[in-house]
Each structure stands twice: as structure tokens, then as C-alpha cells.
Amino acid sequence: MKILVAIKQVASLDEDFELRDDDRDVEADFHVFDLNEWDHYALEQALLLKEAGNSDIEVVVVTVGPERADEELRKCLAKGADRAIRIWSDELEEADSVGVARALAALARREAPDMIFAGVQASDHAYGATGMALAGLLDWPHAAVVAGLEYTPGAGTASARRELEGGAYANVTVQCPAVLTLQLGINTPRYASLRGIKQAASRPIETVAPDALGLSADETGPRGSLSRIRRVYVPELGRAQMIDGTPAEQAARLAGIIKELRGEA
Amino acid sequence: MGGILVIAEHRQGQLRPVSIEVIGAAVAAREAGGERVTVAVLGAAPAAFVDALKLAGVDEIVTVRTQTDAFDPDTYQAVAHALIEARKPSLVLLPHTIDTLGYAAPLAVKGNYGFTTDAFGLARDGESWIATRSGYGQKVNMEIEFPGRASVVVTVRPGAFKAPEGAGTPEVSEFDAPALAPRSHHESFEEPAASGDVDIAGADFIMSIGRGIGEETHVEQFRELASSLGATLGCSRPIADSGWLPKAHQVGQSGKTAANCKLYIAMGISGSVQHMAGMKHVENIIAVNTDPEASIFSIAKYGIVGDIFDIAEELRGHF
């Protein structure tokens, strides 16, 4: 039994960031990297199945990214993932979420897992596309935005509770193997133990190039993508009227605004 | 060939309002390109939605009869694919919603269509479409292009486009759904959890707390503050996910919309797209946050860069 968990190293921006000379991204010096918030939940769900199962379940984490993404794979190993794989070649630098999904699909064909989990979206660009693109490429059953899951490893179906808008849910039965994108709140992700962190530091991370997975040059990177970033710019945003001063002064002004809006002043 | 295709969304017999916004996006986009706007609606009895879709700027409504009314990703993917192959639209607009997250990407990869998501801007550049979306937690805008793609699938951010004004007289036609055996099955809907004494949708004054409160033990002091201000206590997603407040308090896409709110105080909430979907329409938003770059300040009327505990402590003395 094997569960594959696709993860992403996401980037947030330093204050006063600058754009790259070609205006197609932010200058890399201003990136601050972390494991995507959703991926903590996806990994946790796999680990919960592993711990609850009678059968032997291997949890494999995979990412598409350069060497610095090893740091996020190690976080997953430290929490209890059995194996970590990083797919990379320089062409993948220019891949969109579909280009990334093509690399993940090639890896999934090699690994032949019984289930694939991914996050609903990534906190940086929030495409909400990679996991479901992977399902389409594999032609596997799928469900997105899963906030509850009943699944016995090896079973032919899973019951998924999809989170809808407005606080409602839809319960669906999905044939397995399936690709599911998991939503925040589906579980309570664990923290890595100190022992886990220490051990993860020396564990191997397999690195593999897309061509070694059988992807042709036409499917890798920009040529395997369905979109291209033409230009990135800093939008003119609205700006709140800032209330300055000491906390006492700020609170006094806030109290005044509240009273005024409530017709009390 | 060419044209703009919209696929409408409905749930439990109700057309979802975002469908009308996406039609608005298509109608606005046609002004740039002059292409026909076609709206497709899928369902067990799709004719029921036709009247609501007869909007100004819509040239044609296509009904597609499917096995069930409830959303199924395989069904929507297969029907959308067949429609695109039959009509060869240059642009396919879908709402960026929970349902669409389940089928837009598989649709794009199977058809090799141009594809991006959560767009709030659409423009023509010669024969090509350009979509604008945000990146890095809304710190930048990204213009997306689709080199070499004859058909482009774009999901549209709810709240970004206006509904068309007035009615139209589109032709109505039927389209046969391709044969398929869906691999998932809708079992049931669960209604929102009972709200108890919390009515986010009806409240005119809401004070919401977010991740910035830090720990569960801090909830109580903000509950008391809200009470003394006469405000309904709301929260952002992490607070509800952690179980610190019942889901009924949650404001945002997967929670409640602050539909009648006149004054919204956001304490320690950075302002994700999903949270703002539930409150950005409020006329008077006051944000308190330690991070001067927090997105919430871009929609707030007043902002306080400061510690929410300090502000809360001082505020108590005024009420």
C-alpha cells in the first residue's frame, strides 16, 4: 500500500521587494520559503491512514522544485513520511501548474500509489489547479476541496465530504485509486518531534529529472504548460486611512469612529 | 467558430449568483472581441434555469440534460469538453468556485486548452486573450497569456465582475451530453451548522478575530469586548478550523457573508481572498494588524498598525 502526497515549497515576499528585470517575477532575493500550509493537512491525512491501517502503508512525499525545496521535504520526513522525492530540471523553472502536474503524473506512473493527496491550493499563487490537473493527466477519479474523508486503504471507494460555499458540504463517493485535494481543517496537523527533525537531516532525498521519468522535452516546463506569465506588476491598491499615535490614542479614535457610525456621538 | 462560452453553476435548484457575474465578464469581454456569448447550463431539467439566464448580451443558451442535478466533476468535464470541441470558442469562462476547482484543470489538460484560474481581469491583445490574477498572497498582479492556444479556459473570481443589466432575447438550443460513466457519486448535501445565537448574515456590526489572537485562551477577552461594543463576534477560517469558535462565526467564502454589515472591525486578520469574499463589500471596515503590509489594509477604510491586545485593552475603557 502506498499513498503519494504532492507538496510545494511556497514563497512569500519580503517587505519592499523588487521585480526582476524582465518584469515576469519578483527578484528571487526577496522570496521567503516555507511548506505550503495546505500540505501539512495532506501529509497528516496520509500519516493518520498509515497509523490506523492494519496493512503496511508507505507514505511518499514528492515535490517539483530546485534543491532548496529539500528543506520542505525534510519537514515531511521529520513528521513521519517514509520517502521523499524531488523532481527537477532547469526547464521546470518556467512550468505553470499544469507543467508541474505533468512531472508529478510521470512520477505517479512510476510509483503506482493507491491514493494521491494534494493541497487544495498553494498559499503563494493560489491556482487551485495542480492536484486536479494531475488527476486529469492520470485519468483517475478525483474530488476537490475535501474537508472530511472516510477511506480504508485498499478499499474500492472512499467517502469524501467536500466543503462548499456558505458553510454547506456535499458528501460524495469516489472510486479509488483517486486524487483528492484536501482542505484546511480536515485534521489537526502534528508538529515534528525533535528526534524526527534530527533523523530527517540525514535521510536520503531521491532527486529525479523529468526525462528519467519518461517525459519528453515537449511535455516539460514551458512546452508542457498551458499558460505563461507575461508580466508581473505591483497593483495600485486602496489604502486605509491610517490612525497613528499611541495605542491609547488609536483606541480613542477607534472608539470615536464606532460611536459615530452607531449614531451615538 | 470562435465565441465565448460560459458554463453556469447551480446548486439545489438555485442558479448561483456567481454564474451571472461570469456572464457579465463574458459580455464585457465580447466588447473587446465582438464574439458571440453562449451560456451552457447542465442538469436533470436544465430548462428550469433558462429564464434566469436570458440576460442582455447573451446570444445563445444551450441546455444539456445530465443524469443528475448535483455537481459531478466527470460529467461537467465531459460536457464542457464536448461543447468546446463542437463550438471551438476562443474563451471559456467558468466561475472560480468549489465545484469548478473539481473539473476545470482536468478539462484543460485533456483538451490542451490555455488555462488559468481566479482571474479578475480579462483583455484582448490582438487575437489573444490576456487574464489578470494575483500572486504572492495578492502582493502582485500577474498578466497571463496563452501562446498558441486556440481555446482558453479561465476561471473567474467571484465578486470581480458585475452582472449584466437588463434582459436579453437569446436563442435557446439543446446539446446532447456525451455518454459517460461518472466515477464519483453525489450522496447528500449537509446544510450549514445551526448558527445558535450567532447571525453573521444579519448582523450590522461585526468584530472579527483572526490568527493574530495567537491562542485559544485569548478568545474570551475578545468575546467580552465584542459584547461590550454591542458587536457580533466573527472570525476568520483558522479560528473556526481550530475549534476555538463554532463554524457559525466564520466570515468568508466557506463561512458566512456579512450581508447586512455596516461596520466591520477586523482584529488580527491578514485578509485572504477567501475571507474578503465575505466582507469586502462592507462600507466601513476598520483593520487592526501588526503587519502594515497586510492585504486587509487595501480594503479597509481605517487602519491601525498595532498590537490587537493593546488596542483591545484601551478600547475597553471607552465602552
Side-chain angles (χ1 to χ4, degrees), chain A residues 107-119:
Chain A
L107 189 277
R109 289 190 189 97
R110 188 193 82 178
E111 290 288 327
D114 299 89
M115 195 65 123
I116 300 177
F117 293 156

Side-chain angles (χ1 to χ4, degrees), chain A residues 114-125:
Chain A
D114 299 89
M115 195 65 123
I116 300 177
F117 293 156
V120 166
Q121 63 182 31
S123 56
D124 48 8
H125 293 334

Side-chain angles (χ1 to χ4, degrees), chain A residues 120-236:
Chain A
V120 166
Q121 63 182 31
S123 56
D124 48 8
H125 293 334
Y127 285 104
T130 311
M132 289 295 107
L134 173 59
L137 292 163
L138 294 172
D139 203 17
W140 278 21
H142 51 274
V145 199
V146 173
L149 180 65
E150 285 175 40
Y151 168 63
T152 306
T157 60
S159 297
R161 185 172 183 246
R162 296 177 50 240
E163 179 188 278
L164 305 176
E165 290 86 355
Y169 295 89
N171 292 303
V172 298
T173 305
V174 189
Q175 291 176 17
C176 299
V179 180
L180 305 178
T181 62
L182 304 190
Q183 175 63 305
L184 303 175
I186 185 172
N187 52 44
T188 306
R190 69 194 65 193
Y191 292 97
S193 66
L194 273 177
R195 185 162 161 267
I197 293 168
K198 270 187 191 162
Q199 287 178 343
S202 58
R203 284 173 59 189
I205 289 172
E206 183 193 348
T207 57
V208 59
D211 57 358
L213 295 169
L215 271 188
S216 73
D218 278 345
E219 296 172 292
T220 307
R223 280 186 284 179
S225 296
L226 299 176
S227 67
R228 181 181 181 275
I229 298 170
R230 179 165 91 153
R231 184 171 79 100
V232 163
Y233 63 96
V234 180
E236 290 281 330

Side-chain angles (χ1 to χ4, degrees), chain A residues 52-120:
Chain A
N54 301 321
S55 56
D56 201 19
I57 296 177
E58 185 182 35
V59 175
V60 180
V61 285
V62 56
T63 197
V64 174
E67 198 175 346
R68 56 174 156 70
D70 281 353
E71 190 182 342
E72 316 312 333
L73 290 171
R74 285 199 197 284
K75 288 178 186 170
C76 298
L77 290 171
K79 288 192 186 200
D82 295 299
R83 224 153 33 89
I85 304 167
R86 183 169 61 81
I87 309 168
W88 191 244
S89 71
D90 287 344
E91 303 94 84
L92 285 167
E93 189 80 55
E94 290 270 316
D96 71 357
S97 24
V98 170
V100 168
R102 284 192 214 283
L104 293 172
L107 189 277
R109 289 190 189 97
R110 188 193 82 178
E111 290 288 327
D114 299 89
M115 195 65 123
I116 300 177
F117 293 156
V120 166

Side-chain angles (χ1 to χ4, degrees), chain B residues 197-219:
Chain B
D197 57 348
V198 192
D199 181 15
I200 293 292
D204 64 353
F205 178 19
I206 296 171
M207 188 191 83
S208 273
I209 53 176
R211 223 189 276 264
I213 70 160
E215 289 176 32
E216 183 173 13
T217 51
H218 297 146
V219 172

